[in-house]
Amino acid sequence: MSEREAAPAPVDICGLSLSELTALCTEAGLAPYRSRQLFEWVQRRAGAGWAEAGNISGADKARLAEGLSWGLPVPLEERVSADGTRKFLFQLADGETIETVLLDYRKDRSRSHATLCLSVQVGCALGCPFCATGRAGWRRNLSPGEITGQLLAVTARMRRENASFHVGNLVFMGMGEPFYNMNAFLQAVRILNDARGQNIGARRMTVSTAGVVPGILRLAAEAPQIGLAVSLHAGTDELRDVLVPLNRRYPLARLMEACREYVLRTGRRITFEMALTEESATETQARAVAALLRGLPAHVNLIPVNIVAGSAARRPTGARVAAFRRLLTERGLAVTIREERGADIEAACGQLRQSGAKRKGAEAICHLPSSDKTSQE
Ligand code: SF4
C-alpha cells in the first residue's frame, strides 16, 4: 500500500451476522468455532470490547482487532421517568448523539419483558413539524452496528442491576425513518433475531414508518414477520400534508394501496398511529380515517398529544378523544387510546433529539415510544 492510500476503516463487529463474522475469522486463520464464541460474546453477552472475550487468545484477538472494531455506544446521560421509562443519550464513535428509550422494565421479573425503542438515524430528514427529531434535521444514517449497539449497551448497563435482564420486544420508533435506512435496519433485525445472539423473535419487533411506500413493500417481501406501524395522523391529504410532509410524496391513496398490498402479501394486521390534537380530533377526520381503513385488518392507536410549547397545537380534551374513538369503533375499527410514558423525561412520542438540539420545549406527535398500558375499546 502506498503511503497515500488510507488503511481500510475497521469493520464494526456489532453489525456483523454470524456468517459474516465466520468469513472474517476464517480469513484471519481462525477455526469456525471461534467465530461462534465471538458472536456470543458480542451479541448474547453484550460484551463491551476485546478485553471481555476471555476464551479467545490474546494472539487471536490481536489478529482480529486489526480489521474489526468492537465498542458500544457510550452513554452520556440516563434519565429515569417517574413511570420507570428510561431514556439513554448515547455518543457514537464520531461524536454524534442519539437517544434510545427503555420501556416497561420490571426488576422483579427474572426474564424481563422490557421493550426497547431504537433509533435508526442521527436526526431525520422528514421534518414533521411537531417532532423534535425532525426539527433538528438529518445528519446521517446509523450503521447496523450502531443500531444493534444501542440494545447491547442498554443490556450491558441494565445487567449491572439485574444479571438476567433481557430485552423482550423491539420497536424501531426512535429517531429517524427506518425505511430510509432500510439495509442497515434489516441487517440489525437479522442479527438481533439470531438464536445464538439476542434471539428476539421477529414477531416481537415492530417498525414504524411515516409512510415510505417502497419500504412498506420491501418489508412485506423481506421481513413479513415484523409488525408494521404507520404514522397516519390524518385522514385527509390536506391535513396530512401539513402533519407529515412526506405525504406530498406518498399521498394517502398511494399509501393505502401499499398497505393493502402489504396485508395481501403478509396476512398481517397494520397498526395506524393517530396523534390527536384539539384541531385534528374532529368528526371529519374520524370519518375520513374510517373510510380509508375500511376493509383493512387494522388497529388504530390514538395518542392525545402533550401540550406543545412553541406550537399552536393543543392537547385534545378527553371528551373529544372519546368521541373520536366512538366514531371509529362504530365503524368496526379496533381502537386503543395510548397512555404515553416517559413524557417527564422527554422520552415520549417524538420527543427524541440530539443533545445539541435539546430542551427548547418542542414536543412531537409522531414516532412513538409507547406503553403497553393502554385502554382498549
Ligand atoms: S416524526 Fe418520525 S418521520 Fe417525522 S420527523 Fe420525527 S422522526 Fe422523522
Side-chain angles (χ1 to χ4, degrees):
M1 187 192 306
S2 78
E3 278 180 19
R4 307 185 73 165
E5 267 181 275
V11 174
D12 181 356
I13 200 168
C14 298
L16 294 178
S17 66
L18 177 56
S19 57
E20 290 166 335
L21 188 56
T22 303
L24 286 171
C25 285
T26 307
E27 214 173 281
L30 271 66
Y33 76 92
R34 286 290 182 214
S35 60
R36 288 194 293 275
Q37 286 178 332
L38 202 46
F39 188 80
E40 187 177 312
W41 273 109
V42 175
Q43 297 296 344
R44 173 125 49 115
R45 301 197 198 189
W50 295 106
E52 292 191 27
N55 52 359
I56 315 263
S57 76
D60 285 348
K61 284 184 202 171
R63 239 181 309 164
L64 289 168
E66 282 173 20
L68 287 172
S69 66
W70 184 356
L72 299 181
V74 178
L76 295 181
E77 187 179 275
E78 178 180 330
R79 300 174 72 193
V80 185
S81 161
D83 63 26
T85 300
R86 281 172 198 254
K87 184 172 75 167
F88 298 86
L89 175 69
F90 286 119
Q91 186 169 51
L92 306 172
D94 63 355
E96 295 286 6
T97 54
I98 51 169
E99 293 187 327
T100 307
V101 179
L102 176 63
L103 301 126
D104 190 31
Y105 171 54
R106 285 167 257 178
K107 263 194 205 166
D108 53 327
R109 294 192 168 200
S110 56
R111 188 171 173 82
S112 168
H113 284 211
T115 295
L116 194 65
C117 176
L118 296 173
S119 291
V120 291
Q121 296 180 312
V122 181
C124 183
L126 296 188
C128 302
F130 305 105
C131 173
T133 304
R135 282 186 177 188
W138 178 87
R139 294 184 62 83
R140 70 171 174 83
N141 284 344
L142 297 187
S143 67
E146 288 169 333
I147 299 174
T148 62
Q150 295 166 65
L151 180 144
L152 299 173
V154 168
T155 299
R157 156 69 188 90
M158 299 311 291
R159 282 183 183 166
R160 296 209 301 268
E161 286 179 10
N162 174 358
S164 63
F165 174 85
H166 182 79
V167 170
N169 304 283
L170 284 179
V171 292
F172 294 87
M173 299 184 180
M175 294 166 64
E177 164 58 54
F179 292 166
Y180 278 157
N181 190 14
M182 194 77 178
N183 290 339
F185 156 68
L186 288 173
Q187 169 82 345
V189 161
R190 281 190 291 270
I191 293 169
L192 295 171
N193 182 229
D194 194 313
R196 292 149 299 194
Q198 287 290 317
N199 193 21
I200 301 173
R203 282 187 173 265
R204 291 185 165 272
M205 301 183 193
T206 303
V207 61
S208 175
T209 179
V212 179
V213 162
I216 292 171
L217 300 178
R218 190 169 164 197
L219 186 77
E222 296 185 30
Q225 302 298 317
I226 294 177
L228 173 65
V230 174
S231 299
L232 190 61
H233 301 328
T236 59
D237 282 321
E238 192 186 7
L239 182 59
R240 197 164 189 270
D241 278 352
V242 176
L243 297 181
V244 187
L246 182 73
N247 194 64
R248 292 175 212 146
R249 178 151 190 197
Y250 300 115
L252 282 167
R254 277 194 74 189
L255 175 61
M256 297 318 297
E257 191 185 316
C259 288
R260 279 189 287 275
E261 182 69 28
Y262 171 89
V263 169
L264 212 61
R265 290 193 199 171
T266 65
R268 308 279 317 261
R269 184 174 77 164
I270 300 175
T271 298
F272 290 91
E273 313 283 8
M274 287 288 301
L276 293 179
T277 64
E278 184 69 7
E279 296 73 22
S280 69
T282 62
E283 188 177 329
T284 308
Q285 286 299 318
R287 288 181 190 283
V289 168
L292 280 176
L293 305 185
R294 191 175 298 133
L296 203 65
H299 184 99
V300 182
N301 262 334
L302 302 180
I303 309 109
V305 300
N306 290 314
I307 296 164
V308 181
S311 150
R314 289 173 296 151
R315 186 178 173 87
T317 61
R320 200 175 257 264
V321 175
F324 199 95
R325 176 169 70 174
R326 198 168 47 250
L327 279 161
L328 296 184
T329 53
E330 280 170 3
R331 285 156 181 79
L333 285 163
V335 183
T336 296
I337 298 177
R338 175 177 287 173
E339 177 189 314
E340 278 199 335
R341 291 172 62 112
D344 55 332
I345 56 165
E346 296 174 309
C349 171
Q351 292 177 303
L352 305 187
R353 65 192 101 185
Q354 297 150 252
S355 57
K358 286 169 85 86
R359 325 259 187 274
K360 264 288 164 206
E363 294 190 10
I365 61 168
C366 298
H367 283 173
L368 305 159
S370 68
S371 164
D372 65 350
K373 276 178 71 185
T374 53
S375 59
Q376 185 153 359
E377 189 77 34

